Each structure stands twice: as structure tokens, then as C-alpha cells.
Amino acid sequence: MGEAKIIDGEAIAAGLRRRIGEEAARLKARHDLTPGLAVVLVGDNPASRVYVRNKARRAEEAGMTSHDHHLPADVTEEALLSLVRGLGDDARVNGILVQLPLPPHIRAEAVHDAVDPAKDVDGFHGINAGRLVTGAADAMVPCTPLGCLMLLKHHLGELAGLKALVIGRSNIVGKPVAALLLAEHCTVTVAHSRTRDLAGECRRADIVVAAVGRARMVEGGWIKPGATVIDVGINHIEGGSGETRLAGDVDFAAAVKVAGAITPVPGGVGPMTIACLLRNTLVAACRQNGIEPPEI
Ligand code: NAD
């Protein structure tokens, strides 16, 4: 068997961002509407600072306005909730994102639920989580799971009837990915830290989505020949001679010899996340203004 097709998340995300930019330009021309994205950063986590800067840059490249709010790590929960609620009332803001992780004295669920569900471009509000599970058309779907689904559809087209294994059951990745695949009529299994025989579950799966956070945990020999593998994991590992580098949750070098298609890390799911954030912001802006959102 030859090597798997590498699913190029960079290229697919670039195409998606271009289409979003075109739709944003159309909104401006036809409705004089510029979608606005508010990104709230609490504290000085270096990785978060990079993500937030990239989100703002990509939003502006796509013709959107970005509203950045940087709060100190010791901000009170009440002050953060008040900012988030204020953004809900700000007509210039169509999408609100509060960058995770938050400091330990702030309850993430309280913050998620303070976001206006119509502006909840991260899809973490309980209302949007419920809409996703019940299949409501107006659910705001979390960005990384939506990116995983887009990559799968890009490669496979129709997903109905396929057996999908989602490894990880977080509210941010695993559970929404499982809900999306179920809505696509896959037969979905969700594996987690208590799963017995993870290797056996993998060997039966046509689709594997790995979202665990453990470098190279999924072995090449666990993959069913020809399966499609989406690797969500971002792990910093020792790269030899002191520097660190990124690795996914899947042993890429081994899995690429067995799978039908696989996402690399970096360059797979990661770039799709920001592109889907822009997509959600565009859709939110349309809905808030009574405009039919484009199909993207
Ligand atoms: P999490 O820690 O909240 O959840 C991890 C899940 O893995 C848990 O549900 C747990 O039950 C499961 N798990 C742990 N050990 C296991 C084992 N031995 N076998 C099977 N399951 C096991 O993490 P998360 O927020 O869902 O993120 C998962 C990974 O995805 C991380 O590496 C994170 O950095 C990455 N991530 C990437 C993006 C992106 O844009 N590419 C976005 C979000 C998260």
C-alpha cells in the first residue's frame, strides 16, 4: 500500500478565508455592513497572545473589524463578565471570543454563558451546545470541530454510514466533533481515558479524530488500512539538541503508511480553526442583520 494522502489544512483554510473575504466584501457593498469580531485576552500566556494576534490579523485581512480587549491576569470575574455582557450590547460587535485558558479564579462556564448566544462565535454557550446536539440550524458550532468536519468532507465527500472514532470527550473538541459526525449520519464511538481496548476501537474505524493532548499516542498499527485520520493534538515535544517542536496525537510517520488520508501537525486542523472563527463571525453578522448567511 502506498502512502496516505496528506490533507493540506493550510491550503484548505486559505481557500476558506478567501471565500469569506469575498462574502464580507459583498456584505459591505450590498448592506454597508462590516462584521466585527471582539477578542478578549486575560493575562499574558505567550501562546494565547500569539493566537489572539493571529485572529485579529486574519479578521482584518478578511475585511472585518477586530476589537481587542486585553485584561490583566488578576481581573475579577465580575469585571470580565461585565465586559463580555457589554460587548453583547455593542452593535459594532457581531462575534465575541474569550481566549482560553482563563486564570483559575475565573469560572470559564460563567464567562461562556455571559456571551450573547447570537454572538457566540466559539459555540461554547450552553444554548449553542444544546442547539448543536439537537440539530438546530442556527447553532453556533465550535471552530476546531467545524474545521475537522470541513477537512473530512473535503476529502471524503459523503460521510453517511462511515464508522467514526472520536478520541477525547472535551466540551471544546471531542463532544462537538461527535455531535457533528452523528449529524452527518456516521456511526460514532467516543473514546476517552477509561476506554478499554482503544487500539481495537481504532482498527474498526473508517474515520479517526484524535483530540487527546498526548504526543503520538495513536500508533500506526492501530489504524485501519485506508482510514481517514484527523489529528487535533498540539503537543510540544523535545526535538533533540534542546529545542521543542510540535507533534500531534497520532504517530504520523507510522500512520501515513497505513491510512488513506491524514492531517499533519502543524498544517492540518490548526489553520482551519481561525478560518472557521471568521466563518462564524460572518454568519453571525448576517443573522443579526436579518440577512441570509452565505453557504460556506
Ligand atoms: P482536554 O484535555 O480537555 O481533553 C482530552 C480528552 O482526552 C479527555 O476527554 C480525556 O478523556 C481524553 N484522554 C486522555 N487520556 C486518554 C487516553 N489515554 N486514551 C483516550 N482518551 C484519553 O483537551 P482538548 O481541549 O479537547 O484538546 C485536545 C488536544 O487538541 C490538545 O492537544 C489541544 O492542544 C488540541 N487542540 C487543538 C486545537 C487546534 O486548533 N488545532 C484546538 C483545541 C485543542
Side-chain angles (χ1 to χ4, degrees):
M1 179 174 259
E3 291 227 326
K5 177 183 162 49
I6 310 293
I7 300 176
D8 185 349
E10 289 287 359
I12 298 168
L16 181 56
R17 289 197 307 270
R18 185 178 38 72
R19 293 197 301 282
I20 292 164
E22 288 164 5
E23 292 296 344
R26 204 163 296 145
L27 264 189
K28 177 77 186 156
R30 289 197 188 153
H31 303 278
D32 196 24
L33 177 61
T34 302
L37 171 66
V39 180
V40 181
L41 173 65
V42 180
D44 284 308
N45 180 318
S48 295
R49 289 181 78 110
V50 174
Y51 288 140
V52 164
R53 208 177 316 127
N54 285 341
K55 285 167 186 172
R57 180 168 60 90
R58 292 298 191 196
E60 279 164 12
E61 283 170 7
M64 303 185 183
T65 315
S66 94
H67 306 261
D68 291 346
H69 297 267
H70 191 176
L71 303 176
D74 62 357
V75 68
T76 63
E77 183 180 289
E78 196 40 52
L80 176 58
L81 293 178
S82 155
L83 170 68
V84 169
R85 290 193 195 106
L87 293 170
D89 295 332
D90 185 339
R92 297 167 307 161
V93 171
N94 305 108
I96 303 168
L97 177 149
V98 182
Q99 181 65 44
L100 298 177
L102 289 166
H105 67 280
I106 294 177
R107 295 167 300 147
E109 308 77 57
V111 176
H112 295 155
D113 284 346
V115 174
D116 177 344
K119 299 187 178 184
D120 175 31
V121 285
D122 249 344
F124 294 159
H125 193 295
I127 285 184
N128 282 314
R131 284 176 180 155
L132 173 59
V133 171
T134 54
D138 59 351
M140 275 282 156
V141 177
C143 303
T144 300
L146 183 58
C148 292
L149 180 68
M150 286 182 179
L151 292 178
L152 283 168
K153 288 178 123 178
H154 186 93
H155 177 63
L156 290 168
E158 181 63 48
L159 307 182
L162 296 178
K163 191 162 171 23
L165 176 69
V166 181
I167 316 178
R169 58 174 164 184
S170 71
N171 289 335
I172 292 172
V173 189
K175 282 183 202 161
V177 167
L180 287 169
L181 292 175
L182 194 55
E184 293 293 328
H185 314 292
C186 290
T187 301
V188 182
T189 302
V190 181
H192 46 78
S193 53
R194 311 274 181 93
T195 295
R196 295 181 192 157
D197 191 21
L198 183 58
E201 295 293 347
C202 259
R203 285 191 190 104
R204 287 187 282 278
D206 306 304
I207 292 170
V208 175
V209 180
V212 179
R214 294 179 63 164
R216 298 174 182 154
M217 187 193 80
V218 177
E219 298 176 16
W222 297 4
I223 304 294
K224 176 176 169 179
T228 304
V229 179
I230 305 292
D231 191 349
V232 186
I234 300 176
N235 307 291
H236 297 268
I237 58 163
E238 201 47 60
S241 61
E243 88 280 18
T244 61
R245 57 195 195 87
L246 289 186
D249 289 346
V250 179
D251 182 352
F252 182 88
V256 77
K257 299 196 176 92
V258 191
I262 185 167
T263 58
V265 176
V269 174
M272 292 300 288
T273 298
I274 292 185
C276 287
L277 174 70
L278 303 179
R279 181 252 175 220
N280 281 355
T281 305
L282 182 81
V283 168
C286 290
R287 286 187 190 147
Q288 285 158 38
N289 288 279
I291 299 162
E292 183 65 31
E295 280 288 328
I296 35 175

